[in-house]
Amino acid sequence: MIKAIFFTRFHPEKGSSVLHQVPEGAVVPTAQPSRNQQPPLFDFPSVSDLIIPRQEFCDRLVTVCVNHYRIIGNPICIENRRYDRNQFIFNLAMVLDEDADFSGHMTVVMKIASMFRNLEEQSQFLSKEESGFLWDSGELPELPPLTEVDDETDGNGDDKDGDGMTGSGLLSHYEAGLGGKVYALCEMIMEDLNNYCECMIPIDDSNTINLKLFPTLPPPAPIYAWHVPLSTVQLSTFTTSSDLTLTRIVPYIDGVCSVAQIAELADTDLSLTRKAVQHLLYYGCVLLLDIFQFSAIYAPTAEIGAFVENEDAQMEAVRYVCMGTYRRLRENESGTPNSDKWGFIAAEVGIDRAKLVALYTSLKHGQTLKHWCAEHGMLLQGIDVRRFITFGIIKGFLYRVHKYVVANTLGIGFGSDGAGRHSDSDDADPRRPWRNSRRGSLTGSSIGRDLPLARYLDGMHCFDEICTELRLSEKKVMEKMKAAYGDVQVIHR
Amino acid sequence: MRAQPATLPPNPCLVAILLVVKSRSGPRLVFHYPHTPSLSSASNTRNPNWFGTPGNQTDEAESGDSDWSSGSDDGGRTDDEDDDEGSRSSRAWSRGSKISGGRTGSRFESGRSFGSGRTKSSMAGGMREELDEEVVDGDRAHDGEGTGQDESKEDWKPKEQDEVEWERLLGFSADALSMLLTPGRVFNKRRFEVGIEQLVFLGAPMFVREDGEWKKRRRKIRDESESEDEGDGMSEHDHAQPPHENSGKSKAQSNGAKAEPFVITEHVSRRRGLSLQDLEDIPGFESAYGHGLVSGAASDISSEETKSNSTTYDGDMTMFNIVFVLNPPSLEHHSRVEEMYDYVVKRFAKTLKYQQAQSRYVSKESRLIIAMKDKAKESRAPIYSLWPSIVNQSALARAMALTYDHISNNKIAHINLSEGSDTSFQIPQAISTPYIPTPTEPQIPGLWLTTATLLDDDDADTMLSPHSALLLLDDDAALLKEVESDGKELSGPLSFFIRNLTPTKSLQKLSQVHSMSLKDVQFLARHLIYWRRARAIPPLRWRDIYIVSPNADMSTLETAIPAFAARFPTLPSLPKILHMLSGPPRSYSTLMPSKDHRTAYMEILAWLMRGGWVTQLRTFAWVRVKPEVKAAIAEKMNKELNASSASERLNGDHDNTKSDGVNGTGKNLTQSNLFQRSPEGREPGAGDNIFAQPSHLSPFLSPIARPASDAGSTSSSRTAVPNPSLIGSLSPLSRPDTSPFHRPSPLHLTQSASPSSASTHSSQVPTSPLTFPSDNDAPPPPPQLLSTNPADYDASLVDSPQKADALQSRWIEYIGAGFEDEELREKWPVLLKYFDGRHALEEISVREGLKKGKVAGLLGVLQRGGWVVSVRHW
């Protein structure tokens, strides 16, 4: 939220002066304060040296914190012989709360500054406006000849008090108020940015100010082939994207397929696919999951406590994981009385929250999902296990316990690709863990061919990764590793 | 401050430290360190390696990684803006660096080749006042055979943008910087933050008082210097500097003496003399604090005297500003700046001000440094030889250098401003996190994963529970050596403590065994923790369960395996041990081949714990209320209802409204309890230390992550387990009213219990006082009498027994009374408070002084009987 915008000029004789301020009186008190005028946000004279700094600091973004406000400005110094002392120095600054996020505003301020510089260089946009009352006037500015308004001449109070050179603030409000264009710009920019986070203001035939406050988002995490994207928005509404890869992969982002699979199904390049998913991730349109497998291990995280205590989250879980129930239909449902009809009722919820909590808390380390299902088969009635797990992963109260392999013998797997070169040319295994035989055959990428297994033995590569890259099943990989290196240790973490 | 779901790694973003003073003759940049600050430390805080396996992908790694390493704020800019800004900033920076441009090749060499002997030769050089860069460069080139002996000591890093002159740094002239960094009095003792492009200048200006004094007269010194007190609590007595510093000092002194004999000896003697005098001054000062005039006069005299001595720099100092230049990533701007200000800048400035008030310390040191600089300017000494000699001559410059070196390396800066005054600064580091790393939110690898550090309400005042144990983070032999060589007052007790320390015993037990007072033990423990040599953990026990930490830093495995093998040669290898800890949760003792191995295996555990390889799997539980209990209580309530208000029952409406009221309040109560109770509800305030109190806010339960919509995930019957045999026995699940399920569900855990949601909720089940929020699925019992059939109720959990409402309390009470085991009945209220999902059950025995076996037995009964639901996490 922008608190104020003000335009400052360095006057060769009067020092730093605030020519325009929005809202009035936000930076320097106005000559004729209105009744409910707030005091200025900060003491301008004490920071005027920082807002109009020495020439060395001009043409840079300069921010100052004072009185719990942050002033973001970009002082500009234009050197030209047409100006007094051959210099024209100005700064259009924004005032924000000190602890507010200001990264977006910095680029906006920089853009405005360069825009104003260009305008001034092209057409003396700024200097023309004030030439009437700044340049031609001496200590006591007279009526601005260029303007029509002539009833306000009492604005020279600031000049009388003798500290013109130290820059004690406003060239009187009315003087400045005449220079309508820049003032109006400040007003419009502040209003539009605060309300719409963007603005488009035409200045003249050839210039328009286009501004937008972009939120700063952290850079997206890298996407790997074994990540499973799950959309959080209806991606199908974005199908008009100009990104061809994105358009192609969107139908396959279903929370089940890994990136490698998506690339294969959509017939896109894997690295482009990863990049496209990264774009989606940057804008928060997808989450990343792991490849769901019944041979995987899932365990609760510390967040489970929050889940147990949050009824709404449990209700949501119930909605998400239930597939409906298959049961004997009641008379009014089956239509025919006294018939022993069974049916599947999709909308019905077959479990209660306590049961769900019990199920979630019974997941544990060292037990694969397969075994867990066998153990709790009775309770899993009506539950989609994949959704059951996925929900926990999404909410963060479950985590996938990944499987890693470490060579027991030193030297293997640690930066020594040569150690025990092992050919994996027979990797055309159609029974890859995630591979559905109905889906199309391999496109001819050469992922994982001729890689020595040794590089996976440093404990940095989870089995999802190894299997995806080698296109082998977990079992097969394990067999090969054992055959090649004998003593390998499996670590779950 | 925004909530940071992932713990930020330590990153001081420190570029330089500047000291600026202002006197009658104007502002002046007295000293900056390092001599040529580098702008290149663009800080990328999250190492891409944390995300798993970068760079070794078979396909192009760039697709994933290049984006990651690019700047953090360029996501939303338009192209022309990018260009514009790029050219602008490069123009701006090149202005400063152009003098060194084109000589990059030789710079590294010259940066490294400064030595002791060159000062003389360059002094003997020309007579020019203003140094031309070319000339100096030539000088350096001629003196390329310098010994470079200072390099190891001072750790100069040759920087990208070496400036040859000290009048220019960071692309600005020292003059301009000193103007910029000496603001008006409005900033006195306030935070002074100025950003220029990506640099942040952060200071705490200190001004002389109007009366020319540096402190209020009628105030006790103690009040003025709170910051020293806390630092000095532990380190008051270590006058001696760390050994390397002493040697460095003496070396440099001889060094300097060789180079400029006159100046140095003069300065040294003057400094010595003054500091002696200061020492004499201080007692008088202190004793006279009741009589301001005396003290004022005394210090005035000393300053007068020094003024007369000084020829190059006169005029009273009116303010000084110690400025830290940071280069924070824009996303972390606020937190980085804040922590630097709170923990270092403010304290440094306060300490200096105290010294200034005591002995005109800053003015004197400034004069000394400026004199040296002016002298060197005349003699055209290169910065590479001047800076080390300044650092060696001036205690203040040394303190700045030390602070820079240590803080920018995330270490503790222990500085010694003058005799008898030393203090230390550090930016606290995260010691643990409750969050696991995810593909999108990595954690600092190897960070201890636990919730044990999160809450200890009853120990909050001491910050160190007597029930916790102390885990040394260094080898105890090395630590002992260091402590004993220190020879300080504390070293005796410390070395005794370290020798007898074991992470398997709690502090309380340690104090009993070694007949030390608990306070002493805690003091020593805190000392070790403050200096980052130890960490408080729950005591390691062979009975407890440990797993491989999901946050273990696997990339260090390569070095850890041999280290482990060297440490435990006869025992299984590290991978083997980690493999054994990968299975289903078992007590650690099952790993041990025999009882004789217990000591060795506990040492292994401590080693693993220290490296963040393992974490303890702790058990958390909630009370489970069975349907039978609810039915029984319902029956009781029915009876009470019958007995008390037989007449009232005639009026059904009245009863309805009454029960409605009960219901509503009960619900509101529980909801509000839930939210009061949970630390999740505590938003991290502006003042909250993000490291000390990581907010529980889940990154996934925030509104951004709105995943459970069916948008992306297809419900598949493939992954469901069909179980036809059960279908017949399903109870009638026929609540057609599914509207609550379609209520927009607040994903945010911290969402406060809005009364409206509570009321809509209860309005759907209006008539039953027993329709507790958690049994929505039960069919509504008849309005007047509560159902006594257990089948009408579902089991539910009581999440915080301490805050249970009336009905929950009755359930709990009923459960407690129903135990057959006498002991269990007796202990139920004691155990109950641990069944809130926040306290680990492992703590019960220690905290309640019960036998471990007994507690385990009782808990076993409860778990088998289905009275509690338990879950294991860290």
Side-chain angles (χ1 to χ4, degrees):
Chain A
M1 194 71 174
I2 303 167
K3 297 285 175 194
I5 293 186
F6 62 99
F7 180 80
T8 329
R9 271 274 288 115
F10 182 77
H11 189 273
E13 279 145 29
K14 296 175 196 168
S16 311
S17 319
V18 176
L19 263 64
H20 310 290
Q21 48 178 340
V22 182
E24 281 302 325
V27 179
V28 285
T30 45
Q32 291 175 325
S34 57
R35 286 161 303 283
N36 47 6
Q37 182 90 54
Q38 301 285 321
L41 299 175
F42 52 90
D43 179 31
F44 178 75
S46 65
V47 291
S48 64
D49 286 346
L50 297 164
I51 288 165
I52 299 288
R54 287 173 55 147
Q55 203 185 329
E56 206 174 343
F57 298 104
C58 284
D59 298 345
R60 295 161 197 270
L61 198 68
V62 177
T63 61
V64 187
C65 291
V66 60
N67 197 23
H68 304 297
Y69 290 103
R70 187 182 301 271
I71 307 165
I72 305 170
N74 194 347
I76 296 284
C77 173
I78 302 172
E79 301 201 17
N80 194 309
R81 257 175 299 162
R82 74 168 154 262
Y83 303 118
D84 230 8
R85 297 202 199 166
N86 302 328
Q87 280 183 337
F88 185 84
I89 303 176
F90 69 91
N91 188 0
L92 188 132
M94 287 183 183
V95 183
L96 271 75
D97 274 329
E98 185 177 290
D99 45 8
D101 177 37
F102 62 95
S103 46
H105 297 86
M106 299 212 297
T107 50
V108 165
V109 167
M110 284 195 302
K111 183 161 183 184
I112 297 175
S114 69
M115 191 91 197
F116 273 22
R117 169 196 269 275
N118 290 340
L119 285 170
E120 172 64 21
E121 281 170 350
Q122 282 168 22
S123 58
Q124 289 105 59
F125 176 76
L126 303 168
S127 56
K128 231 191 241 166
E129 200 175 273
E130 58 191 54
S131 61
F133 56 88
L134 260 181
W135 302 133
D136 297 346
S137 62
E139 266 305 294
L140 301 175
E142 288 154 20
L143 266 182
L146 282 188
T147 51
E148 316 73 32
V149 191
D150 57 356
D151 52 344
E152 309 282 10
T153 50
D154 54 346
N156 37 22
D158 277 15
D159 309 317
K160 286 184 194 151
D161 57 19
D163 58 353
M165 284 310 287
T166 61
S168 73
L170 190 70
L171 283 177
S172 121
H173 157 61
Y174 295 104
E175 282 176 350
L178 299 174
K181 261 188 175 171
V182 178
Y183 179 82
L185 270 181
C186 292
E187 210 168 26
M188 267 144 75
I189 290 171
M190 172 156 165
E191 199 159 296
D192 286 1
L193 286 186
N194 273 348
N195 290 331
Y196 313 109
C197 291
E198 58 184 15
C199 66
M200 194 194 80
I201 304 166
I203 293 176
D204 52 36
D205 292 342
S206 50
N207 290 294
T208 308
I209 290 187
N210 280 298
L211 299 172
K212 189 171 170 67
L213 284 176
F214 289 99
T216 312
L217 300 172
I223 306 283
Y224 293 110
W226 58 94
H227 285 156
V228 176
L230 168 70
S231 61
T232 57
V233 292
Q234 286 287 351
L235 282 180
S236 50
T237 58
F238 294 137
T239 44
T240 51
S241 165
S242 60
D243 185 337
L244 294 179
T245 313
L246 199 59
T247 314
R248 290 186 77 152
I249 65 167
V250 155
Y252 301 100
I253 295 180
D254 58 358
V256 180
C257 292
S258 69
V259 171
Q261 264 177 305
I262 290 170
E264 200 173 296
L265 293 170
D267 194 15
T268 48
D269 179 59
L270 179 59
S271 61
L272 288 179
T273 309
R274 283 167 57 195
K275 218 156 203 172
V277 174
Q278 201 172 20
H279 278 288
L280 292 175
L281 182 68
Y282 179 76
Y283 290 107
C285 300
V286 293
L287 299 164
L288 295 185
L289 308 175
D290 59 299
I291 301 174
F292 176 82
Q293 296 159 80
F294 277 101
S295 61
I297 298 172
Y298 295 91
T301 73
E303 305 276 331
I304 188 88
F307 175 73
V308 168
E309 293 173 12
N310 187 328
E311 283 172 27
D312 292 323
Q314 293 167 24
M315 299 294 281
E316 200 186 341
V318 168
R319 282 202 303 282
Y320 188 73
V321 306
C322 277
M323 307 186 304
T325 46
Y326 184 75
R327 60 169 172 82
R328 193 192 303 270
L329 296 175
R330 259 169 274 116
E331 282 181 13
N332 54 349
E333 286 166 331
S334 61
T336 51
N338 297 326
S339 71
D340 193 23
K341 261 198 166 177
W342 290 67
F344 186 82
I345 295 152
E348 198 168 81
V349 170
I351 48 166
D352 62 77
R353 298 198 312 261
K355 208 156 119 196
L356 204 64
V357 169
L359 282 174
Y360 274 125
T361 51
S362 65
L363 286 164
K364 61 181 181 187
H365 297 85
Q367 190 183 38
T368 61
L369 197 56
K370 195 164 53 190
H371 289 121
W372 179 82
C373 284
E375 206 172 279
H376 297 86
M378 302 295 228
L379 293 166
L380 287 173
Q381 180 51 229
I383 291 179
D384 183 334
V385 176
R386 185 185 60 74
R387 287 181 147 238
F388 174 81
I389 294 297
T390 309
F391 185 85
I393 303 277
I394 292 166
K395 297 292 184 182
F397 63 82
L398 289 188
Y399 79 104
R400 166 84 183 273
V401 183
H402 281 287
K403 195 168 163 186
Y404 299 83
V405 225
V406 179
N408 226 1
T409 348
L410 268 177
I412 299 175
F414 294 113
S416 57
D417 273 11
R421 183 162 285 273
H422 184 77
S423 170
D424 307 302
S425 49
D426 55 336
D427 62 348
D429 185 1
R431 291 161 296 143
R432 291 191 302 283
W434 40 265
R435 197 171 147 75
N436 187 324
S437 56
R438 276 175 301 164
R439 287 171 180 159
S441 63
L442 290 179
T443 50
S445 68
S446 60
I447 295 173
R449 287 184 201 264
D450 302 318
L451 279 172
L453 276 178
R455 59 184 287 263
Y456 296 118
L457 292 178
D458 61 356
M460 300 274 286
H461 305 268
C462 67
F463 254 89
D464 277 7
E465 173 183 358
I466 301 172
C467 293
T468 304
E469 284 194 3
L470 298 180
R471 308 184 162 226
L472 287 172
S473 76
E474 203 173 306
K475 209 172 143 194
K476 197 112 184 173
V477 170
M478 222 35 228
E479 277 169 15
K480 278 168 178 291
M481 283 182 170
K482 284 215 166 111
Y485 304 108
D487 196 12
V488 291
Q489 297 293 342
V490 175
I491 296 174
H492 292 279
R493 117 188 137 102
Chain B
M1 193 195 291
R2 288 162 301 157
Q4 295 278 4
T7 316
L8 287 173
N11 177 10
C13 320
L14 190 56
V15 176
I17 303 179
L18 277 49
L19 176 67
V20 188
V21 302
K22 193 174 190 174
S23 60
R24 279 199 294 267
S25 57
R28 182 134 192 200
L29 175 66
V30 174
F31 189 64
H32 63 269
Y33 190 90
H35 55 82
T36 46
S38 156
L39 289 169
S40 62
S41 64
S43 20
N44 191 5
T45 58
R46 289 197 292 190
N47 189 326
N49 286 332
W50 298 2
F51 288 97
T53 57
N56 50 11
Q57 280 263 47
T58 46
D59 52 347
E60 303 88 311
E62 49 87 37
S63 74
D65 301 332
S66 63
D67 276 14
W68 175 256
S69 55
S70 66
S72 54
D73 57 348
D74 56 0
R77 281 190 214 144
T78 55
D79 283 0
D80 59 321
E81 243 179 308
D82 257 345
D83 294 345
D84 195 27
E85 190 225 346
S87 59
R88 176 72 42 81
S89 62
S90 64
R91 189 178 355 140
W93 293 124
S94 66
R95 188 180 302 166
S97 60
K98 61 175 182 273
I99 43 166
S100 60
R103 294 205 301 266
T104 350
S106 66
R107 196 170 306 131
F108 198 86
E109 214 176 301
S110 55
R112 163 203 298 233
S113 65
F114 70 87
S116 55
R118 278 175 295 119
T119 327
K120 206 190 286 178
S121 66
S122 52
M123 274 171 72
M127 304 299 285
R128 252 177 293 181
E129 284 290 319
E130 293 296 322
L131 277 191
D132 189 355
E133 284 79 29
E134 310 299 332
V135 175
V136 172
D137 195 53
D139 279 352
R140 282 204 270 129
H142 288 310
D143 298 321
E145 70 277 6
T147 57
Q149 54 165 308
D150 287 356
E151 189 192 354
S152 58
K153 183 186 66 189
E154 294 293 344
D155 188 27
W156 300 115
K157 292 173 218 91
K159 295 287 161 53
E160 291 288 306
Q161 304 198 337
D162 277 357
E163 302 285 348
V164 194
E165 270 254 77
W166 51 87
E167 296 293 329
R168 269 199 98 73
L169 71 154
L170 299 166
F172 304 107
S173 74
D175 261 5
L177 273 182
S178 62
M179 293 278 282
L180 187 81
L181 300 177
T182 47
R185 190 172 277 275
V186 105
F187 286 100
N188 188 14
K189 293 197 262 185
R190 297 258 171 82
R191 178 159 124 181
F192 171 75
E193 184 188 334
V194 170
I196 295 177
E197 303 273 306
Q198 78 270 42
L199 289 181
V200 177
F201 293 81
L202 188 66
M206 294 292 180
F207 284 79
V208 70
R209 288 164 52 80
E210 304 283 352
D211 56 10
E213 288 301 305
W214 282 90
K215 65 198 286 278
K216 273 189 194 160
R217 294 200 170 182
R218 295 196 178 274
R219 243 177 111 190
K220 292 188 181 180
I221 291 163
R222 287 288 143 206
D223 294 350
E224 189 87 12
S225 59
E226 287 151 35
S227 67
E228 282 91 50
D229 286 347
E230 47 183 272
D232 287 354
M234 289 164 187
S235 49
E236 189 108 61
H237 310 287
D238 31 7
H239 291 205
Q241 293 167 353
H244 70 274
E245 232 177 281
N246 275 333
S247 62
K249 186 178 172 183
S250 57
K251 202 201 290 180
Q253 261 180 5
S254 61
N255 201 346
K258 199 167 40 162
E260 17 186 8
F262 285 105
V263 188
I264 293 308
T265 44
E266 182 192 317
H267 277 306
V268 166
S269 63
R270 197 175 64 188
R271 201 167 69 86
R272 281 289 139 77
L274 281 176
S275 60
L276 273 180
Q277 188 186 354
D278 293 343
L279 284 178
E280 287 159 12
D281 271 355
I282 291 165
F285 196 59
E286 279 190 328
S287 69
Y289 62 73
H291 322 276
L293 279 176
V294 180
S295 69
S299 46
D300 274 351
I301 288 167
S302 70
S303 69
E304 282 297 322
E305 186 198 15
T306 51
K307 210 196 294 177
S308 64
N309 275 354
S310 166
T311 49
T312 49
Y313 177 69
D314 51 5
D316 265 346
M317 188 172 82
T318 56
M319 66 91 71
F320 67 88
N321 193 4
I322 183 103
V323 179
F324 284 57
V325 187
L326 313 183
N327 186 13
S330 68
L331 277 170
E332 299 165 9
H333 183 281
H334 290 292
S335 56
R336 296 301 182 195
V337 167
E338 205 150 305
E339 68 188 14
M340 182 62 81
Y341 181 75
D342 286 344
Y343 293 110
V344 185
V345 180
K346 193 164 73 180
R347 292 169 194 226
F348 203 147
K350 265 188 178 172
T351 313
L352 285 184
K353 176 155 190 197
Y354 176 75
Q355 290 289 328
Q356 171 72 6
Q358 292 272 302
S359 59
R360 296 287 186 268
Y361 178 83
V362 179
S363 345
K364 276 184 295 194
E365 292 287 329
S366 301
R367 267 197 295 278
L368 172 68
I369 294 167
I370 286 172
M372 286 183 77
K373 278 167 90 174
D374 289 350
K375 194 96 185 164
K377 197 172 174 182
E378 282 167 26
S379 61
R380 294 173 49 238
I383 196 167
Y384 291 118
S385 63
L386 173 63
W387 244 237
S389 62
I390 290 181
V391 166
N392 286 319
Q393 294 305 316
S394 159
L396 178 54
R398 187 163 53 245
M400 285 167 66
L402 204 100
T403 306
Y404 174 82
D405 289 341
H406 285 216
I407 294 292
S408 55
N409 288 318
N410 303 314
K411 287 194 267 183
I412 302 173
H414 182 197
I415 59 165
N416 208 334
L417 285 174
S418 61
E419 306 289 321
S421 145
D422 60 355
T423 181
S424 63
F425 314 116
Q426 64 169 318
I427 296 175
Q429 293 182 355
I431 54 161
S432 73
T433 175
Y435 306 112
I436 53 153
T438 66
T440 45
E441 281 295 338
Q443 289 290 346
I444 308 169
L447 193 63
W448 182 28
L449 187 70
T450 186
T451 56
T453 47
L454 280 188
L455 89 158
D456 263 329
D457 310 21
D458 31 349
D459 305 316
D461 47 341
T462 58
M463 294 296 287
L464 191 61
S465 156
H467 302 300
S468 58
L470 208 61
L471 177 69
L472 288 179
L473 299 177
D474 285 338
D475 208 23
D476 51 352
L479 194 56
L480 267 180
K481 212 171 143 196
E482 189 187 336
V483 165
E484 275 162 3
S485 70
D486 229 13
K488 288 170 198 162
E489 195 171 304
L490 264 182
S491 66
L494 257 186
S495 59
F496 175 79
F497 183 58
I498 290 167
R499 232 177 255 124
N500 292 295
L501 194 59
T502 162
T504 57
K505 285 201 173 77
S506 70
L507 296 181
Q508 195 162 39
K509 220 174 218 171
L510 278 175
S511 80
Q512 284 160 6
V513 171
H514 301 293
S515 56
M516 299 165 80
S517 82
L518 183 60
K519 266 204 171 137
D520 287 349
V521 170
Q522 278 176 323
F523 174 79
L524 292 172
R526 265 200 296 270
H527 182 81
L528 288 172
I529 291 170
Y530 176 84
W531 291 97
R532 299 184 189 163
R533 299 306 167 85
R535 181 204 287 162
I537 57 164
L540 303 178
R541 292 181 217 285
W542 50 269
R543 237 190 267 261
D544 286 342
I545 302 165
Y546 297 88
I547 56 160
V548 181
S549 167
N551 203 29
D553 188 0
M554 299 299 260
S555 61
T556 59
L557 206 55
E558 189 175 354
T559 50
I561 290 175
F564 185 89
R567 177 82 173 72
F568 307 102
T570 59
L571 293 163
S573 69
L574 179 60
K576 181 92 189 150
I577 295 277
L578 291 180
H579 170 70
M580 289 195 280
L581 289 164
S582 292
R586 280 180 303 177
S587 93
Y588 184 68
S589 57
T590 55
L591 260 66
M592 305 174 189
S594 75
K595 273 198 171 180
D596 303 335
H597 286 79
R598 193 171 284 167
T599 324
Y601 269 74
M602 289 320 281
E603 273 174 35
I604 289 181
L605 185 59
W607 192 93
L608 293 172
M609 202 73 183
R610 192 185 295 163
W613 293 103
V614 296
T615 189
Q616 187 190 349
L617 207 54
R618 310 191 304 153
T619 318
F620 301 85
W622 296 268
V623 177
R624 181 168 178 268
V625 185
K626 294 183 187 180
E628 296 85 50
V629 174
K630 293 185 178 177
I633 294 293
E635 199 176 342
K636 269 192 189 174
M637 286 171 80
N638 282 345
K639 272 183 200 152
E640 286 166 12
L641 213 62
N642 282 333
S644 64
S645 60
S647 59
E648 271 182 52
R649 263 201 302 126
L650 293 173
N651 189 347
D653 288 341
H654 179 64
D655 201 26
N656 267 353
T657 51
K658 182 184 163 196
S659 58
D660 237 354
V662 170
N663 188 18
T665 51
K667 186 184 310 296
N668 284 337
L669 201 82
T670 34
Q671 292 226 349
S672 62
N673 276 345
L674 199 156
F675 289 104
Q676 275 170 7
R677 183 61 200 151
S678 72
E680 288 85 4
R682 202 172 42 194
E683 289 286 345
D688 266 5
N689 174 3
I690 191 162
F691 291 121
Q693 290 197 327
S695 122
H696 244 171
L697 273 176
S698 155
F700 299 99
L701 293 166
S702 66
I704 312 160
R706 197 187 297 110
S709 72
D710 294 25
S713 184
T714 46
S715 178
S716 52
S717 52
R718 272 192 297 135
T719 49
V721 179
N723 197 348
S725 66
L726 263 186
I727 290 168
S729 64
L730 277 176
S731 61
L733 295 157
S734 55
R735 269 197 62 197
D737 180 17
T738 50
S739 61
F741 301 135
H742 296 297
R743 202 151 38 94
S745 137
L747 292 172
H748 214 290
L749 272 186
T750 57
Q751 172 133 354
S752 61
S754 67
S756 65
S757 81
S759 63
T760 55
H761 199 147
S762 57
S763 71
Q764 280 157 359
V765 276
T767 45
S768 151
L770 249 197
T771 314
F772 194 68
S774 48
D775 21 342
N776 281 318
D777 297 321
Q784 275 91 16
L785 279 184
L786 305 163
S787 167
T788 54
N789 181 2
D792 290 342
Y793 298 97
D794 277 325
S796 66
L797 299 181
V798 178
D799 43 47
S800 46
Q802 302 283 66
K803 308 258 172 117
D805 61 21
L807 184 61
Q808 285 175 323
S809 308
R810 288 190 75 162
W811 290 338
I812 290 168
E813 207 175 302
Y814 180 84
I815 295 170
F819 292 126
E820 288 175 7
D821 187 348
E822 173 86 29
E823 177 129 38
L824 188 54
R825 264 208 303 276
E826 187 189 317
K827 296 286 185 247
W828 175 247
V830 176
L831 298 178
L832 206 52
K833 62 184 173 204
Y834 293 92
F835 298 152
D836 63 353
R838 288 166 208 287
H839 288 88
L841 303 188
E842 281 78 8
E843 290 174 7
I844 296 179
S845 61
V846 188
R847 287 182 179 272
E848 301 298 334
L850 299 170
K851 285 227 166 61
K852 280 170 216 157
K854 185 161 284 172
V855 173
L858 295 177
L859 291 176
V861 170
L862 288 172
Q863 274 161 344
R864 276 193 300 278
W867 299 108
V868 295
V869 168
S870 63
V871 66
R872 287 209 176 101
H873 60 76
W874 37 88

